[in-house]
Amino acid sequence: MGGGAAAAPIPRLTAITFLFLLPIVIQSHTPTISVRDFGATGDGKHYDTAAIQSAIDSCRTKPCYVTFPTGTYLTATIFLKSNVILDIPKGSTILGGTKLEDYPKEFDRWYVILAENARDVGITGGGVVDGQGLEFVVKFDERKNVMVSWNQTGACSGDECRPRLVGFLDSTNVRVWNVTFRQPAYWCLHIVRCENTSIHDVSIYGDFNTPNNDGIDIEDSNNTVITRCHIDTGDDAICPKTYTSPLYNLTATNSWIRTKSSAIKLGSASWFELNNLVFDNITIVDSHRGLALQIRDGGNVSDITFSNINISTRYYDPSWWGRAEPIYVTTCPRHSDSSEGSISNLNFVNISAVSENGIFLSGSKGGLLRNLRFININLTYKRWTKYMGGLVDYRPGCQGLVNHSTAGIIMEHIDGLDVENVNMRWFDGRTVQWDNPLDFRPSTVNNISLLNFHSGVYKQGRGSSEQIPLFGSN
């Protein structure tokens, strides 16, 4: 094993200061416009859409706060406009409708709250936006719920044909803070082709068995800060994607995540570049996958840092993507005719993980992983659920699920890997499944440097002060 090529320096966490450099939406609640003054009832039974929209449309000042006195406001899609802040105070809920006719004809505009081509726009107040996601469940299933799909109406295709909760499209200076999003039927908070977005002090609660109820999807958007968020949902929690243009300058910090899929996932939609992303001081618990890069469509990824992150990952049913990997980095093409993207200058610093599976690092022939750095990493491997192990998960596309013996780190198609101060421990018991710390695909892994790497069986003896956390027993 030889020394790898010099890796790029780890980006400094200066991006968080961007939060304070955003064009400031003045947080004065003067003037405010009450939706009750326009006839909203807030009884949760009668639609208040017209009253809410009239209040928004009446705004003439900059900024204009549209407020919701205590109550539950049932509504079809409402449209925000520039300089409007929805002020939903504690004790108030905006409740999304569950009928197809509650949403615009264009399925890509199916949101309970939607802002398009707006500036200086946002949501706050301490209250709740609820998508009534459980009303879209056809059959409850502990493995994965069966959902309503409006594709039978011809409105759109695929089994993800359901409304999202909140969307900001082609907007600038977006701010979402001090609000709870609950029970999305599909994606929860969707940021699309936006510039200068701040999301902070937001709580997201999706149903744990509902597919596709992502927490925050950042799509083709730049200069985004996410901080102090609590996300507990069934699908990917923070998910940057690229469909039509590059994505750069995203910082996510000081957050807590639990998910039945990936806590942080880049992709799988990845037609364009993703670069200069920082994820710092994040706690990930009881998730199916921790930190994931799922590059499938030819876009190149570079200059990404994950730092100061605590992870626990466990197996769930294989109908969900993920096999309890704390770290998962892949570039295989989605289809046989898809382009291969690459990943370079990827840094993992100060990471601690307790997991039921190892790290998976898989480039492809035309999409190598280059200059990966693992510095100050503590990995504890143990089993506590009864789900089947011994599978490598390449989904979506690629090779699907593949039988493979468990290893501490599986590696293929890599050029440049620096491992420094890494401690890998195998929990005593059932160690026959954990007999290979490093698994190399022959002739595809080059320029590896190991400095102070240690692996061994961990035995918790009497008097030991260190405790390995125990989780569910499914």
Side-chain angles (χ1 to χ4, degrees):
M1 300 180 185
I10 299 170
R12 297 175 61 189
L13 295 181
T14 55
I16 189 61
T17 60
F18 169 74
L19 175 63
F20 304 103
L21 298 178
L22 286 171
I24 298 173
V25 178
I26 301 173
Q27 296 184 39
S28 169
H29 282 234
T30 303
T32 62
I33 294 175
S34 171
V35 296
R36 290 291 180 95
D37 292 340
F38 291 80
T41 64
D43 64 4
K45 298 177 181 179
H46 299 89
Y47 279 84
D48 288 319
T49 312
I52 297 170
Q53 194 63 56
S54 294
I56 293 171
D57 294 343
S58 73
C59 284
R60 297 290 183 268
T61 59
K62 299 180 180 180
C64 178
Y65 279 74
V66 174
T67 191
F68 295 74
T70 301
T72 299
Y73 298 83
L74 178 63
T75 185
T77 297
I78 53 178
F79 299 91
L80 288 181
K81 66 178 188 178
S82 294
N83 304 304
V84 173
I85 308 296
L86 287 191
D87 179 22
I88 312 165
K90 187 174 182 180
S92 293
T93 298
I94 293 179
L95 195 65
T98 60
K99 299 181 292 186
L100 178 59
E101 54 266 32
D102 291 334
Y103 298 90
K105 292 182 178 180
E106 307 87 355
F107 74 91
D108 57 355
R109 300 174 75 219
W110 288 357
Y111 298 88
V112 176
I113 300 173
L114 174 60
E116 300 173 284
N117 298 295
R119 296 183 62 89
D120 303 314
V121 63
I123 304 174
T124 188
V128 174
V129 181
D130 190 322
Q132 300 198 79
L134 294 181
E135 295 297 319
F136 291 80
V137 179
V138 176
K139 178 183 178 182
F140 288 95
D141 190 322
E142 290 185 0
R143 295 172 66 246
K144 182 184 285 188
N145 289 335
V146 179
M147 305 299 294
V148 165
S149 181
W150 288 342
N151 59 0
Q152 296 176 351
T153 68
C156 62
S157 61
D159 62 357
E160 301 171 7
C161 198
R162 313 187 292 276
R164 298 174 176 91
L165 191 61
V166 176
F168 293 90
L169 281 57
D170 300 295
S171 296
T172 303
N173 301 343
V174 173
R175 190 176 181 198
V176 182
W177 79 104
N178 189 27
V179 65
T180 295
F181 297 136
R182 191 168 64 199
Q183 295 298 336
Y186 185 41
W187 294 352
C188 184
L189 177 56
H190 195 196
I191 308 297
V192 184
R193 298 180 301 275
C194 290
E195 294 286 339
N196 300 348
T197 299
S198 171
I199 302 165
H200 62 93
D201 300 288
V202 171
S203 296
I204 295 175
Y205 298 98
D207 180 69
F208 206 57
N209 295 324
T210 294
N212 311 117
N213 65 342
D214 294 13
I216 304 174
D217 288 277
I218 308 296
E219 179 181 320
D220 306 333
S221 297
N222 304 314
N223 302 321
T224 305
V225 172
I226 302 169
T227 190
R228 298 192 302 271
C229 290
H230 180 109
I231 306 173
D232 191 340
T233 192
D235 223 307
D236 303 322
I238 298 176
C239 191
K241 310 169 184 284
T242 58
Y243 286 97
T244 62
S245 62
L247 182 154
Y248 56 84
N249 293 350
L250 166 65
T251 298
T253 69
N254 303 322
S255 296
W256 185 98
I257 296 171
R258 172 179 177 260
T259 172
K260 216 169 186 176
S261 196
S262 296
I264 297 170
K265 187 182 82 175
L266 280 60
S268 66
S270 50
W271 277 268
F272 293 85
E273 295 178 0
L274 295 98
N275 59 68
N276 196 22
L277 278 61
V278 175
F279 302 89
D280 180 68
N281 194 27
I282 294 172
T283 297
I284 298 167
V285 302
D286 257 1
S287 296
H288 207 176
R289 182 176 279 158
L291 312 175
L293 287 82
Q294 205 170 60
I295 306 308
R296 296 289 181 270
D297 306 302
N300 296 321
V301 178
S302 64
D303 302 310
I304 314 296
T305 294
F306 299 93
S307 58
N308 304 308
I309 299 177
N310 292 319
I311 303 169
S312 72
T313 54
R314 50 157 292 177
Y315 286 117
Y316 290 100
D317 190 274
S319 61
W320 296 88
W321 294 347
R323 301 305 299 147
E325 309 95 338
I327 297 172
Y328 174 92
V329 183
T330 60
T331 63
C332 56
R334 188 184 302 273
H335 307 295
S336 59
D337 58 350
S338 297
S339 300
E340 294 176 278
S342 67
I343 297 174
S344 61
N345 299 335
L346 182 59
N347 304 289
F348 298 91
V349 184
N350 298 335
I351 310 291
S352 294
V354 178
S355 65
E356 291 198 284
N357 202 354
I359 292 172
F360 185 50
L361 307 176
S362 173
S364 54
K365 290 182 179 180
L368 293 178
L369 309 183
R370 290 188 172 91
N371 298 336
L372 275 60
R373 303 176 70 187
F374 289 80
I375 302 174
N376 300 336
I377 311 294
N378 284 296
L379 305 168
T380 299
Y381 296 142
K382 64 188 296 290
R383 287 300 309 269
W384 59 86
T385 71
K386 298 177 182 178
Y387 291 101
M388 180 177 64
L391 292 170
V392 169
D393 192 350
Y394 289 89
R395 296 174 296 180
C398 312
Q399 304 176 55
L401 283 170
V402 177
N403 291 320
H404 195 289
S405 59
T406 302
I409 306 177
I410 296 176
M411 292 167 280
E412 55 189 11
H413 299 291
I414 298 173
D415 184 8
L417 173 63
D418 291 337
V419 175
E420 182 177 345
N421 296 333
V422 172
N423 185 25
M424 182 185 297
R425 301 178 299 179
W426 316 92
F427 194 80
D428 195 15
R430 303 175 71 180
T431 53
V432 67
Q433 300 183 33
W434 304 93
D435 58 356
N436 191 359
L438 302 176
D439 183 321
F440 292 82
R441 174 73 65 87
S443 303
T444 71
V445 179
N446 298 290
N447 296 317
I448 305 301
S449 173
L450 300 179
L451 178 62
N452 195 20
F453 173 83
H454 178 265
S455 70
V457 175
Y458 175 76
K459 295 183 179 180
Q460 189 173 4
R462 292 182 179 179
S464 172
S465 61
E466 185 170 8
Q467 300 292 321
I468 302 298
L470 297 176
F471 299 91
S473 58
N474 289 336

